Amino acid sequence: MKRRLPIRPLYATLALLAATAVTMPAFAAGADLSKKFMGLPTWVWLSVNLVVFAGVLGYFLVPPIKNFLNERAKKIEADLAEAARQRAEVADMQATVAAKLAELDAEVSRVSTRAETEGVRERDEIVAQATRERDRLLAQAKIEIDHRVGQAKKELAEHTAKLAAKLAQEELERRIGPEERRGLFATNVSRLEKEVRP
């Protein structure tokens, strides 16, 4: 806010300027300074007039100017203190942000390392589980194959036995007549009877 000079000192200053204006032209025009006024030379009156003028100016203008300059200096000091405080706040905020960024970088590094370790562990677990599953399926397939091979062998043996019996029966029927069959039957019956008797 701009400070205004007081009105009263301004009027006094204007009055002194008007009074000085009367004598200054004579002094500026090179008038004879040896003339006397009230028993004193003119130059003395001009000097007194100048001193009084300077005194009045000093009396009325210096305090307001001094107050204005003091207030301005205080405002500048306050502004400098505020700027220093804001600089300190900015420095604190920068330090806080830098610390948080460093902490965030460390956390990212920890998470990355942990994720990599867990990824390797999970991969190893998946590979081990796949290996176990493969071994189980192979064992199950082997058991199933052995079972089916055994069943196929049994079926093949039964079929072979039936086929051999049928072929043997056909061969016997072709080679042995009805009387030879009766003789073989009787021989087998008598042999069985001998085995049954005590």
Side-chain angles (χ1 to χ4, degrees):
M1 184 171 135
K2 216 171 175 184
R3 181 176 171 82
R4 295 186 175 185
L5 295 175
I7 299 293
R8 188 179 297 168
L10 186 60
Y11 287 149
T13 304
L14 290 174
L16 281 174
L17 284 172
T20 306
V22 174
T23 56
M24 286 306 273
F27 181 73
D32 186 12
L33 298 178
S34 60
K35 286 185 181 179
K36 294 188 177 187
F37 177 73
M38 291 180 65
L40 293 173
T42 306
W43 66 269
V44 172
W45 286 108
L46 290 174
S47 299
V48 169
N49 191 17
L50 183 62
V51 169
V52 170
F53 177 70
V56 170
L57 278 178
Y59 179 77
F60 287 108
L61 292 180
V62 168
I65 291 172
K66 186 176 179 183
N67 288 339
F68 173 76
L69 292 176
N70 285 339
E71 288 179 11
R72 183 71 179 152
K74 287 177 184 176
K75 184 173 184 330
I76 290 171
E77 286 177 5
D79 290 345
L80 288 174
E82 179 66 17
R85 185 186 66 76
Q86 289 179 355
R87 271 198 306 270
E89 284 182 3
V90 168
D92 288 344
M93 288 173 68
Q94 285 177 339
T96 303
V97 168
K100 286 185 178 179
L101 285 175
E103 184 179 334
L104 185 62
D105 286 343
E107 182 66 21
V108 166
S109 178
R110 281 194 301 270
V111 168
S112 175
T113 303
R114 187 169 58 233
E116 185 177 344
T117 304
E118 288 180 1
V120 169
R121 183 179 54 78
E122 287 180 8
R123 184 196 65 200
D124 292 344
E125 286 180 5
I126 289 171
V127 168
Q129 184 178 359
T131 303
R132 286 193 300 271
E133 185 67 17
R134 182 199 64 196
D135 293 344
R136 185 186 69 78
L137 289 173
L138 285 174
Q140 188 176 358
K142 187 175 183 306
I143 292 170
E144 184 70 22
I145 289 170
D146 290 345
H147 175 70
R148 291 197 178 190
V149 166
Q151 191 175 0
K153 283 182 180 178
K154 182 179 176 185
E155 289 176 359
L156 185 60
E158 288 175 358
H159 182 68
T160 304
K162 285 180 183 177
L163 189 57
K166 185 177 179 185
L167 288 174
Q169 182 181 357
E170 288 176 358
E171 186 65 24
L172 281 175
E173 286 177 356
R174 192 173 53 86
R175 289 188 180 182
I176 298 174
E179 290 187 14
E180 292 171 339
R181 274 190 224 153
R182 275 191 231 114
L184 280 172
F185 181 74
T187 305
N188 285 332
V189 168
S190 62
R191 189 176 68 197
L192 285 172
E193 286 176 355
K194 287 180 186 175
E195 288 177 0
V196 171
R197 284 180 196 161

PDB file of all heavy atoms in Angstrom, residues 2 4 22 30 34 36 40-41 49 54-55 60 65 68 77 80 83 86 88-89 92 119-120 145 163 169 176 187:
ATOM      1  N   LYS A   2       0.561   2.157  -0.866  1.00  0.00           N
ATOM      2  CA  LYS A   2       1.376   3.357  -1.012  1.00  0.00           C
ATOM      3  C   LYS A   2       1.051   4.334   0.107  1.00  0.00           C
ATOM      4  O   LYS A   2      -0.106   4.584   0.401  1.00  0.00           O
ATOM      5  CB  LYS A   2       1.078   3.977  -2.368  1.00  0.00           C
ATOM      6  CG  LYS A   2       2.268   4.584  -3.001  1.00  0.00           C
ATOM      7  CD  LYS A   2       1.923   4.973  -4.409  1.00  0.00           C
ATOM      8  CE  LYS A   2       3.076   5.687  -5.025  1.00  0.00           C
ATOM      9  NZ  LYS A   2       2.771   6.165  -6.337  1.00  0.00           N
ATOM     10  N   ARG A   4       0.867   8.042   1.663  1.00  0.00           N
ATOM     11  CA  ARG A   4       0.743   9.426   1.197  1.00  0.00           C
ATOM     12  C   ARG A   4       1.422  10.377   2.181  1.00  0.00           C
ATOM     13  O   ARG A   4       1.398  10.141   3.383  1.00  0.00           O
ATOM     14  CB  ARG A   4      -0.723   9.815   1.060  1.00  0.00           C
ATOM     15  CG  ARG A   4      -1.434   9.044  -0.004  1.00  0.00           C
ATOM     16  CD  ARG A   4      -2.803   9.591  -0.170  1.00  0.00           C
ATOM     17  NE  ARG A   4      -3.465   8.929  -1.271  1.00  0.00           N
ATOM     18  CZ  ARG A   4      -4.646   9.283  -1.707  1.00  0.00           C
ATOM     19  NH1 ARG A   4      -5.291  10.263  -1.146  1.00  0.00           N
ATOM     20  NH2 ARG A   4      -5.200   8.647  -2.715  1.00  0.00           N
ATOM     21  N   VAL A  22      10.531  34.778  -4.437  1.00  0.00           N
ATOM     22  CA  VAL A  22      10.648  36.226  -4.528  1.00  0.00           C
ATOM     23  C   VAL A  22      12.122  36.638  -4.577  1.00  0.00           C
ATOM     24  O   VAL A  22      12.508  37.540  -5.319  1.00  0.00           O
ATOM     25  CB  VAL A  22       9.940  36.887  -3.318  1.00  0.00           C
ATOM     26  CG1 VAL A  22      10.159  38.390  -3.303  1.00  0.00           C
ATOM     27  CG2 VAL A  22       8.473  36.563  -3.333  1.00  0.00           C
ATOM     28  N   GLY A  30      21.974  37.717 -10.934  1.00  0.00           N
ATOM     29  CA  GLY A  30      23.251  38.365 -10.634  1.00  0.00           C
ATOM     30  C   GLY A  30      23.078  39.739 -10.045  1.00  0.00           C
ATOM     31  O   GLY A  30      23.825  40.673 -10.367  1.00  0.00           O
ATOM     32  N   SER A  34      25.485  43.217  -2.383  1.00  0.00           N
ATOM     33  CA  SER A  34      26.014  44.073  -1.319  1.00  0.00           C
ATOM     34  C   SER A  34      24.930  44.986  -0.738  1.00  0.00           C
ATOM     35  O   SER A  34      25.156  45.692   0.228  1.00  0.00           O
ATOM     36  CB  SER A  34      27.182  44.927  -1.843  1.00  0.00           C
ATOM     37  OG  SER A  34      26.727  45.737  -2.905  1.00  0.00           O
ATOM     38  N   LYS A  36      21.707  46.192   1.295  1.00  0.00           N
ATOM     39  CA  LYS A  36      21.369  45.816   2.652  1.00  0.00           C
ATOM     40  C   LYS A  36      19.868  45.883   2.841  1.00  0.00           C
ATOM     41  O   LYS A  36      19.186  46.712   2.227  1.00  0.00           O
ATOM     42  CB  LYS A  36      22.058  46.742   3.641  1.00  0.00           C
ATOM     43  CG  LYS A  36      23.559  46.589   3.623  1.00  0.00           C
ATOM     44  CD  LYS A  36      24.175  47.370   4.740  1.00  0.00           C
ATOM     45  CE  LYS A  36      25.657  47.128   4.721  1.00  0.00           C
ATOM     46  NZ  LYS A  36      26.348  47.682   5.811  1.00  0.00           N
ATOM     47  N   LEU A  40      21.264  44.274   7.126  1.00  0.00           N
ATOM     48  CA  LEU A  40      22.089  43.094   6.795  1.00  0.00           C
ATOM     49  C   LEU A  40      22.177  42.974   5.288  1.00  0.00           C
ATOM     50  O   LEU A  40      21.238  43.293   4.567  1.00  0.00           O
ATOM     51  CB  LEU A  40      21.461  41.811   7.371  1.00  0.00           C
ATOM     52  CG  LEU A  40      21.437  41.707   8.907  1.00  0.00           C
ATOM     53  CD1 LEU A  40      20.647  40.479   9.310  1.00  0.00           C
ATOM     54  CD2 LEU A  40      22.836  41.603   9.470  1.00  0.00           C
ATOM     55  N   PRO A  41      23.330  42.475   4.801  1.00  0.00           N
ATOM     56  CA  PRO A  41      23.454  42.324   3.361  1.00  0.00           C
ATOM     57  C   PRO A  41      22.445  41.316   2.825  1.00  0.00           C
ATOM     58  O   PRO A  41      21.983  40.415   3.521  1.00  0.00           O
ATOM     59  CB  PRO A  41      24.881  41.824   3.155  1.00  0.00           C
ATOM     60  CG  PRO A  41      25.586  42.003   4.443  1.00  0.00           C
ATOM     61  CD  PRO A  41      24.571  42.164   5.503  1.00  0.00           C
ATOM     62  N   ASN A  49      17.327  32.526   4.461  1.00  0.00           N
ATOM     63  CA  ASN A  49      16.130  32.002   3.788  1.00  0.00           C
ATOM     64  C   ASN A  49      16.357  30.560   3.344  1.00  0.00           C
ATOM     65  O   ASN A  49      15.497  29.696   3.511  1.00  0.00           O
ATOM     66  CB  ASN A  49      15.795  32.919   2.612  1.00  0.00           C
ATOM     67  CG  ASN A  49      14.433  32.594   2.028  1.00  0.00           C
ATOM     68  OD1 ASN A  49      13.620  31.935   2.660  1.00  0.00           O
ATOM     69  ND2 ASN A  49      14.174  33.066   0.830  1.00  0.00           N
ATOM     70  N   ALA A  54      15.510  24.876   4.050  1.00  0.00           N
ATOM     71  CA  ALA A  54      16.014  23.497   4.216  1.00  0.00           C
ATOM     72  C   ALA A  54      15.541  22.917   5.541  1.00  0.00           C
ATOM     73  O   ALA A  54      15.174  21.738   5.637  1.00  0.00           O
ATOM     74  CB  ALA A  54      17.540  23.484   4.115  1.00  0.00           C
ATOM     75  N   GLY A  55      15.510  23.747   6.596  1.00  0.00           N
ATOM     76  CA  GLY A  55      15.053  23.261   7.903  1.00  0.00           C
ATOM     77  C   GLY A  55      13.579  22.860   7.884  1.00  0.00           C
ATOM     78  O   GLY A  55      13.183  21.827   8.436  1.00  0.00           O
ATOM     79  N   PHE A  60       9.388  18.912   7.995  1.00  0.00           N
ATOM     80  CA  PHE A  60       8.103  18.394   7.538  1.00  0.00           C
ATOM     81  C   PHE A  60       8.223  17.176   6.617  1.00  0.00           C
ATOM     82  O   PHE A  60       7.313  16.367   6.575  1.00  0.00           O
ATOM     83  CB  PHE A  60       7.297  19.497   6.829  1.00  0.00           C
ATOM     84  CG  PHE A  60       6.741  20.507   7.774  1.00  0.00           C
ATOM     85  CD1 PHE A  60       7.278  21.773   7.829  1.00  0.00           C
ATOM     86  CD2 PHE A  60       5.691  20.200   8.621  1.00  0.00           C
ATOM     87  CE1 PHE A  60       6.770  22.718   8.700  1.00  0.00           C
ATOM     88  CE2 PHE A  60       5.184  21.131   9.487  1.00  0.00           C
ATOM     89  CZ  PHE A  60       5.725  22.414   9.534  1.00  0.00           C
ATOM     90  N   ILE A  65       9.179  10.742   5.197  1.00  0.00           N
ATOM     91  CA  ILE A  65      10.031   9.939   4.314  1.00  0.00           C
ATOM     92  C   ILE A  65      10.747   8.854   5.110  1.00  0.00           C
ATOM     93  O   ILE A  65      10.861   7.694   4.669  1.00  0.00           O
ATOM     94  CB  ILE A  65      11.032  10.853   3.562  1.00  0.00           C
ATOM     95  CG1 ILE A  65      10.276  11.728   2.559  1.00  0.00           C
ATOM     96  CG2 ILE A  65      12.089  10.035   2.861  1.00  0.00           C
ATOM     97  CD1 ILE A  65      11.121  12.787   1.900  1.00  0.00           C
ATOM     98  N   PHE A  68       8.279   6.238   5.951  1.00  0.00           N
ATOM     99  CA  PHE A  68       8.015   5.470   4.737  1.00  0.00           C
ATOM    100  C   PHE A  68       9.156   4.482   4.444  1.00  0.00           C
ATOM    101  O   PHE A  68       8.935   3.315   4.162  1.00  0.00           O
ATOM    102  CB  PHE A  68       7.807   6.416   3.554  1.00  0.00           C
ATOM    103  CG  PHE A  68       7.698   5.713   2.242  1.00  0.00           C
ATOM    104  CD1 PHE A  68       6.543   5.049   1.888  1.00  0.00           C
ATOM    105  CD2 PHE A  68       8.781   5.693   1.357  1.00  0.00           C
ATOM    106  CE1 PHE A  68       6.448   4.386   0.676  1.00  0.00           C
ATOM    107  CE2 PHE A  68       8.696   5.034   0.144  1.00  0.00           C
ATOM    108  CZ  PHE A  68       7.524   4.378  -0.206  1.00  0.00           C
ATOM    109  N   GLU A  77      12.257  -6.659   4.824  1.00  0.00           N
ATOM    110  CA  GLU A  77      12.772  -7.674   5.752  1.00  0.00           C
ATOM    111  C   GLU A  77      11.758  -8.800   5.951  1.00  0.00           C
ATOM    112  O   GLU A  77      12.114  -9.975   5.971  1.00  0.00           O
ATOM    113  CB  GLU A  77      13.113  -7.030   7.103  1.00  0.00           C
ATOM    114  CG  GLU A  77      14.366  -6.187   7.088  1.00  0.00           C
ATOM    115  CD  GLU A  77      14.616  -5.523   8.431  1.00  0.00           C
ATOM    116  OE1 GLU A  77      13.869  -5.803   9.391  1.00  0.00           O
ATOM    117  OE2 GLU A  77      15.560  -4.719   8.522  1.00  0.00           O
ATOM    118  N   LEU A  80      11.741 -10.828   2.859  1.00  0.00           N
ATOM    119  CA  LEU A  80      12.940 -11.685   2.823  1.00  0.00           C
ATOM    120  C   LEU A  80      12.803 -12.859   3.793  1.00  0.00           C
ATOM    121  O   LEU A  80      13.175 -13.996   3.471  1.00  0.00           O
ATOM    122  CB  LEU A  80      14.190 -10.859   3.162  1.00  0.00           C
ATOM    123  CG  LEU A  80      14.657  -9.881   2.078  1.00  0.00           C
ATOM    124  CD1 LEU A  80      15.800  -9.023   2.594  1.00  0.00           C
ATOM    125  CD2 LEU A  80      15.087 -10.644   0.827  1.00  0.00           C
ATOM    126  N   ALA A  83      10.408 -15.210   2.261  1.00  0.00           N
ATOM    127  CA  ALA A  83      11.066 -15.938   1.164  1.00  0.00           C
ATOM    128  C   ALA A  83      12.019 -16.998   1.721  1.00  0.00           C
ATOM    129  O   ALA A  83      12.081 -18.122   1.204  1.00  0.00           O
ATOM    130  CB  ALA A  83      11.818 -14.958   0.268  1.00  0.00           C
ATOM    131  N   GLN A  86       9.891 -19.805   2.972  1.00  0.00           N
ATOM    132  CA  GLN A  86       9.385 -20.601   1.848  1.00  0.00           C
ATOM    133  C   GLN A  86      10.495 -21.430   1.214  1.00  0.00           C
ATOM    134  O   GLN A  86      10.277 -22.571   0.810  1.00  0.00           O
ATOM    135  CB  GLN A  86       8.741 -19.676   0.810  1.00  0.00           C
ATOM    136  CG  GLN A  86       7.422 -19.090   1.275  1.00  0.00           C
ATOM    137  CD  GLN A  86       6.812 -18.157   0.249  1.00  0.00           C
ATOM    138  OE1 GLN A  86       7.418 -17.864  -0.781  1.00  0.00           O
ATOM    139  NE2 GLN A  86       5.604 -17.671   0.538  1.00  0.00           N
ATOM    140  N   ALA A  88      13.076 -22.569   2.821  1.00  0.00           N
ATOM    141  CA  ALA A  88      13.305 -23.672   3.756  1.00  0.00           C
ATOM    142  C   ALA A  88      12.228 -24.748   3.592  1.00  0.00           C
ATOM    143  O   ALA A  88      12.521 -25.947   3.602  1.00  0.00           O
ATOM    144  CB  ALA A  88      13.329 -23.152   5.196  1.00  0.00           C
ATOM    145  N   GLU A  89      10.961 -24.299   3.429  1.00  0.00           N
ATOM    146  CA  GLU A  89       9.875 -25.261   3.211  1.00  0.00           C
ATOM    147  C   GLU A  89      10.088 -26.046   1.922  1.00  0.00           C
ATOM    148  O   GLU A  89       9.894 -27.267   1.879  1.00  0.00           O
ATOM    149  CB  GLU A  89       8.526 -24.535   3.155  1.00  0.00           C
ATOM    150  CG  GLU A  89       8.009 -24.097   4.497  1.00  0.00           C
ATOM    151  CD  GLU A  89       6.649 -23.421   4.382  1.00  0.00           C
ATOM    152  OE1 GLU A  89       6.106 -23.353   3.266  1.00  0.00           O
ATOM    153  OE2 GLU A  89       6.142 -22.959   5.425  1.00  0.00           O
ATOM    154  N   ASP A  92      12.802 -28.488   2.512  1.00  0.00           N
ATOM    155  CA  ASP A  92      12.276 -29.625   3.284  1.00  0.00           C
ATOM    156  C   ASP A  92      11.423 -30.533   2.406  1.00  0.00           C
ATOM    157  O   ASP A  92      11.519 -31.765   2.488  1.00  0.00           O
ATOM    158  CB  ASP A  92      11.439 -29.122   4.473  1.00  0.00           C
ATOM    159  CG  ASP A  92      12.304 -28.509   5.558  1.00  0.00           C
ATOM    160  OD1 ASP A  92      13.531 -28.742   5.530  1.00  0.00           O
ATOM    161  OD2 ASP A  92      11.761 -27.792   6.419  1.00  0.00           O
ATOM    162  N   GLY A 119       9.021 -66.148  -8.711  1.00  0.00           N
ATOM    163  CA  GLY A 119       8.814 -66.689 -10.053  1.00  0.00           C
ATOM    164  C   GLY A 119       9.672 -67.920 -10.296  1.00  0.00           C
ATOM    165  O   GLY A 119       9.208 -68.934 -10.844  1.00  0.00           O
ATOM    166  N   VAL A 120      10.945 -67.857  -9.864  1.00  0.00           N
ATOM    167  CA  VAL A 120      11.845 -69.019 -10.019  1.00  0.00           C
ATOM    168  C   VAL A 120      11.323 -70.183  -9.187  1.00  0.00           C
ATOM    169  O   VAL A 120      11.279 -71.335  -9.650  1.00  0.00           O
ATOM    170  CB  VAL A 120      13.284 -68.632  -9.608  1.00  0.00           C
ATOM    171  CG1 VAL A 120      14.163 -69.863  -9.505  1.00  0.00           C
ATOM    172  CG2 VAL A 120      13.872 -67.652 -10.599  1.00  0.00           C
ATOM    173  N   ILE A 145      -0.857-101.042 -19.688  1.00  0.00           N
ATOM    174  CA  ILE A 145      -0.310-101.821 -20.818  1.00  0.00           C
ATOM    175  C   ILE A 145      -0.030-103.242 -20.379  1.00  0.00           C
ATOM    176  O   ILE A 145      -0.376-104.213 -21.088  1.00  0.00           O
ATOM    177  CB  ILE A 145       0.961-101.137 -21.363  1.00  0.00           C
ATOM    178  CG1 ILE A 145       0.573 -99.846 -22.098  1.00  0.00           C
ATOM    179  CG2 ILE A 145       1.733-102.069 -22.287  1.00  0.00           C
ATOM    180  CD1 ILE A 145       1.747 -98.970 -22.453  1.00  0.00           C
ATOM    181  N   LEU A 163      -8.714-123.412 -30.297  1.00  0.00           N
ATOM    182  CA  LEU A 163      -8.435-123.721 -31.696  1.00  0.00           C
ATOM    183  C   LEU A 163      -7.687-125.040 -31.826  1.00  0.00           C
ATOM    184  O   LEU A 163      -8.022-125.876 -32.694  1.00  0.00           O
ATOM    185  CB  LEU A 163      -7.610-122.571 -32.313  1.00  0.00           C
ATOM    186  CG  LEU A 163      -7.411-122.604 -33.815  1.00  0.00           C
ATOM    187  CD1 LEU A 163      -8.746-122.629 -34.553  1.00  0.00           C
ATOM    188  CD2 LEU A 163      -6.575-121.434 -34.265  1.00  0.00           C
ATOM    189  N   GLN A 169      -9.743-132.232 -32.386  1.00  0.00           N
ATOM    190  CA  GLN A 169     -10.993-132.986 -32.471  1.00  0.00           C
ATOM    191  C   GLN A 169     -11.314-133.307 -33.926  1.00  0.00           C
ATOM    192  O   GLN A 169     -11.707-134.444 -34.247  1.00  0.00           O
ATOM    193  CB  GLN A 169     -12.121-132.165 -31.840  1.00  0.00           C
ATOM    194  CG  GLN A 169     -13.447-132.908 -31.840  1.00  0.00           C
ATOM    195  CD  GLN A 169     -14.563-132.058 -31.232  1.00  0.00           C
ATOM    196  OE1 GLN A 169     -14.328-130.954 -30.780  1.00  0.00           O
ATOM    197  NE2 GLN A 169     -15.755-132.594 -31.229  1.00  0.00           N
ATOM    198  N   ILE A 176     -10.072-141.297 -36.593  1.00  0.00           N
ATOM    199  CA  ILE A 176     -10.606-142.398 -35.757  1.00  0.00           C
ATOM    200  C   ILE A 176     -12.062-142.611 -36.123  1.00  0.00           C
ATOM    201  O   ILE A 176     -12.862-141.676 -36.153  1.00  0.00           O
ATOM    202  CB  ILE A 176     -10.477-142.044 -34.274  1.00  0.00           C
ATOM    203  CG1 ILE A 176      -8.995-141.857 -33.908  1.00  0.00           C
ATOM    204  CG2 ILE A 176     -11.107-143.096 -33.416  1.00  0.00           C
ATOM    205  CD1 ILE A 176      -8.781-141.371 -32.530  1.00  0.00           C
ATOM    206  N   THR A 187     -11.107-147.808 -22.702  1.00  0.00           N
ATOM    207  CA  THR A 187      -9.775-147.822 -22.089  1.00  0.00           C
ATOM    208  C   THR A 187      -9.676-146.716 -21.059  1.00  0.00           C
ATOM    209  O   THR A 187      -9.165-146.906 -19.950  1.00  0.00           O
ATOM    210  CB  THR A 187      -8.688-147.623 -23.175  1.00  0.00           C
ATOM    211  OG1 THR A 187      -8.847-148.600 -24.180  1.00  0.00           O
ATOM    212  CG2 THR A 187      -7.310-147.686 -22.598  1.00  0.00           C
TER     213      THR A 187
END
